[in-house]
Amino acid sequence: LMFALSLLLGTTITITSNHWIMAWAGLEINTLSILPLIAKSHHPRAIEAATKYFMTQATASALVLFSSMTNAWHTGQWDITQMTHTTSCLILTSAIAMKLGMVPFHFWFPEVLQGSPIITGLILSTIMKLPPIALLYMTSHSLNPTLLTLMAIMSAALGGWMGLNQTQIRKILAFSSISHLGWMAIIIPFSPKLTMLNFYLYVLITSAIFLTMNTVKVLKLSTLMTSWTKAPALNTMLLLTLLSLAGLPPLTGFLPKWLIIQELTKQNMAPTAIIISLLSLLGLFFYLRLAYCATITLPPHTTNHMKQWHTYKPTSTLIAISIVMSIMLLPISPMIPTIL
């Protein structure tokens, strides 16, 4: 509970601060409070994940501090929104990309997620990404669009490509997160609110998937194949939630992709929109594979698999609400222009 409260405190400090030092302090509180949650199981892989996480986050925090100090040195301004020095902006972009796990600073994220328990993995994929995204949002007007576009396309490509060959569900979700960060980063110089909308919907859908995995206690594809007997209705909804995360049209996940492609076309970046849309097809492949394993079929086995017992434990309200919202929010799209 103490660590969870520290996490909320760190996130709140970073989001609400105007001064760089306060934002940096919030990021540090966040990092230090998640470390015990990652290393909780005392497994060598968990300890390794915590160490990797600490090293990358410490480096990124140092870079955030360095970029803000350089900016203050040249402009005399410590205000987050007054980031005007070009080199500082480039260093800051790299630091935030490292915090988020965007390409080319993505190597730590799948390893850390694989070494963490499922709920800690959920926190790492959602809440821990909010402070860096908020910093990107506040400095969006002064960031370099070319660098962000380049990193976004690389993230979408690598997130899709490297997820194809995985059998561990947490690693697949990590690469899915990297490709979604590509969609968020590509639009932030042009429409920051659209990035936030994408982030909120990504958090909603990912939470639904992680909580479902936690309920049926599934960590890899081979156990996912036999888990349908445990909670058939939940697995059926998992199929739709995975397709929503892939961004298929009648589901919620299509909404941010649709709006981002529309905005990129308005900015005369149609080729970029086409490239990132085609790269999201790579992601669609591994979501379909997950969905296929979860519900549609049992592949032919040479060994006999034990069927798992049906659990009559009622599904928690939180999972039910998040799954329904992950699937059925597309009709709210006419309201979005009024919000943006």
Side-chain angles (χ1 to χ4, degrees):
L1 179 65
M2 193 178 84
F3 293 128
L5 289 173
S6 305
L7 266 177
L8 290 173
L9 174 71
T11 307
T12 313
I13 288 174
T14 304
I15 292 169
T16 54
S17 57
N18 282 322
H19 197 286
W20 271 114
I21 299 291
M22 282 300 284
W24 172 79
L27 290 171
E28 286 299 299
I29 292 170
N30 256 6
T31 303
L32 293 174
S33 54
I34 193 81
L35 285 173
L37 297 179
I38 298 173
K40 191 170 59 175
S41 64
H42 299 296
H43 189 276
R45 180 167 279 167
I47 307 295
E48 183 191 345
T51 312
K52 281 179 180 170
Y53 186 77
F54 174 72
M55 303 287 273
T56 46
Q57 297 299 312
T59 312
S61 289
L63 282 174
V64 166
L65 207 52
F66 179 56
S67 68
S68 54
M69 279 171 67
T70 313
N71 187 63
W73 188 17
H74 283 275
T75 62
Q77 272 287 1
W78 279 99
D79 196 329
I80 293 180
T81 50
Q82 303 294 320
M83 199 75 173
T84 48
H85 189 246
T86 321
T87 316
S88 301
C89 287
L90 292 175
I91 298 170
L92 179 73
T93 310
S94 310
I96 292 180
M98 199 181 289
K99 281 254 171 223
L100 289 169
M102 276 173 66
V103 176
F105 308 106
H106 64 287
F107 295 103
W108 64 272
F109 189 54
E111 301 294 327
V112 170
L113 214 61
Q114 180 58 32
S116 312
I118 284 198
I119 296 298
T120 310
L122 168 62
I123 293 170
L124 280 169
S125 302
T126 55
I127 300 170
M128 295 302 287
K129 291 206 185 318
L130 184 54
I133 291 269
L135 288 178
L136 267 185
Y137 179 81
M138 288 189 272
T139 55
S140 57
H141 54 274
S142 49
L143 298 175
N144 185 343
T146 317
L147 178 66
L148 280 169
T149 305
L150 196 65
M151 286 168 84
I153 287 177
M154 287 199 305
S155 295
L158 257 100
W161 231 301
M162 294 175 75
L164 293 179
N165 209 19
Q166 303 297 332
T167 54
Q168 298 287 339
I169 291 173
R170 282 170 296 182
K171 275 200 173 171
I172 292 178
L173 289 171
F175 287 117
S176 132
S177 176
I178 291 168
S179 60
H180 275 272
L181 283 170
W183 282 89
M184 290 175 218
I186 202 162
I187 201 66
I188 202 150
F190 312 111
S191 176
K193 284 184 178 174
L194 211 47
T195 297
M196 295 313 286
L197 174 76
N198 191 349
F199 178 69
Y200 296 144
L201 291 178
Y202 163 74
V203 166
L204 175 71
I205 301 169
T206 306
S207 304
I209 290 175
F210 268 105
L211 291 170
T212 305
M213 298 299 180
N214 188 47
T215 306
V216 292
K217 295 288 179 280
V218 164
L219 293 175
K220 49 184 188 285
L221 287 179
S222 56
T223 47
L224 184 63
M225 288 169 191
T226 57
S227 71
W228 61 273
T229 46
K230 247 187 184 180
L234 194 58
N235 266 30
T236 311
M237 297 310 276
L238 177 63
L239 162 76
L240 292 171
T241 316
L242 284 162
L243 295 181
S244 180
L245 193 59
L248 288 185
L251 307 166
T252 307
F254 177 61
L255 175 59
K257 285 189 167 60
W258 172 25
L259 292 172
I260 286 172
I261 291 170
Q262 187 181 329
E263 184 62 34
L264 285 172
T265 316
K266 280 182 194 166
Q267 300 289 342
N268 295 325
M269 292 175 70
T272 316
I274 290 168
I275 290 167
I276 202 163
S277 308
L278 288 173
L279 288 172
S280 72
L281 290 176
L282 290 167
L284 177 62
F285 176 81
F286 60 74
Y287 294 126
L288 277 174
R289 195 171 69 167
L290 271 173
Y292 200 69
C293 289
T295 49
I296 301 172
T297 184
L298 279 175
H301 283 305
T302 46
T303 54
N304 287 329
H305 260 275
M306 287 288 288
K307 293 279 192 300
Q308 299 190 24
W309 285 94
H310 193 313
T311 52
Y312 287 99
K313 206 169 52 178
T315 306
S316 79
T317 320
L318 180 64
I319 300 180
I321 292 170
S322 57
I323 284 181
V324 168
M325 287 175 73
S326 304
I327 295 169
M328 297 184 176
L329 281 190
L330 192 65
I332 67 157
S333 48
M335 289 165 53
I336 301 294
T338 58
I339 301 167
L340 301 177

